[in-house]
Amino acid sequence: MNLILFGPPGSGKGTQAKRLVADRGMVQLSTGDMLRAAIAAGSPMGKQVEPIIAAGHLVPDAIVVGLIEERMPEAEATGGAIFDGFPRNVAQAEVLDAMLEARGGRIDLVVCLTVDDGELLGRITERFKEQGRPDDNPETFKARLGAYYAQTAPLLPYYEDQAKLVKVDGMGSIAEVAKAIDAALETMPA
Ligand code: AMP
């Protein structure tokens, strides 16, 4: 099964993806984590994306698509992929659909975590204090949220039209949100 965890920055996608990995043996494909690893490694691609991420903008589609493509065999060898932070625009979603189709797969479910903006800002401010991720500073966070509404949220009708979208209230505790995601997954054929 291939699942997309969808939602604005700070909605809990990464936290819930890690839990699903632990519970279900799926592979988390987080383009944000992959890009941060490239920056930490000091690779040419990492150097290219660092200022873009620091500004809170989206990096070029070709880069994230390449990262996902590299990891696809690993996901296929296990129980499937949890896409976290990818796709982030309609062009990426179309490439992902084509990539999966060519491999005989598909996106089975898109879980959108809904959290209001005030709560997101509070969570990201806390994470910035705890982890010091540079793009979590309040100014950059506003740019990231702007990119989400302008470029990523238009994906909701894309998946709604395919009858794959399930909205889950992401305002609760980690355990409550986990329970709601599990309930959505239960509706999927085995
Ligand atoms: P995230 O950890 O998913 O919030 O991603 C952190 C940053 O990495 C984003 O603000 C973007 O600059 C970049 N990024 C991550 N995933 C993508 C993607 N699918 N498309 C474009 N940029 C991305």
Side-chain angles (χ1 to χ4, degrees):
M1 181 174 59
N2 293 307
L3 170 73
I4 296 176
L5 279 183
F6 194 92
S11 56
K13 301 185 297 292
T15 304
Q16 295 297 337
K18 286 183 175 65
R19 201 233 359 138
L20 287 166
V21 167
D23 288 0
R24 295 175 186 251
M26 297 166 82
V27 170
Q28 177 192 13
L29 297 183
S30 159
T31 40
D33 283 353
M34 295 176 212
L35 293 165
R36 281 185 287 279
I39 293 172
S43 71
M45 185 270 276
K47 290 197 169 81
Q48 183 191 343
V49 299
E50 192 168 14
I52 305 174
I53 293 177
H57 300 147
L58 296 188
V59 310
D61 292 344
I63 292 179
V64 286
V65 166
L67 289 169
I68 290 289
E69 209 156 21
E70 263 173 42
R71 299 282 303 277
M72 210 62 114
E74 191 190 323
E76 281 168 347
T78 63
I82 303 164
F83 295 95
D84 161 12
F86 180 91
R88 256 186 162 91
N89 58 33
V90 173
Q92 291 178 16
E94 288 172 349
V95 173
L96 178 61
D97 279 348
M99 205 191 285
L100 288 169
E101 200 185 331
R103 294 166 167 272
R106 65 199 284 269
I107 291 297
D108 297 286
L109 193 70
V110 180
V111 174
C112 176
L113 301 175
T114 59
V115 177
D116 64 41
D117 289 357
E119 170 76 13
L120 293 172
L121 183 61
R123 287 186 189 180
I124 292 285
T125 306
E126 272 310 298
R127 190 167 79 180
F128 184 50
K129 281 186 209 145
E130 284 164 15
Q131 299 174 18
R133 213 177 107 174
D135 63 339
D136 279 344
N137 78 72
E139 274 317 301
T140 310
F141 175 70
K142 281 178 198 146
R144 291 167 63 200
L145 199 55
Y148 173 78
Y149 286 118
Q151 290 162 273
T152 307
L155 268 176
L156 291 170
Y158 178 87
Y159 288 116
E160 212 156 26
D161 288 350
Q162 298 183 20
K164 291 180 179 169
L165 185 70
V166 176
K167 288 189 181 164
V168 164
D169 181 2
M171 295 286 286
S173 68
I174 292 173
E176 284 164 349
V177 176
K179 209 171 152 195
I181 292 175
D182 283 343
L185 290 175
E186 288 313 315
T187 65
M188 299 301 300

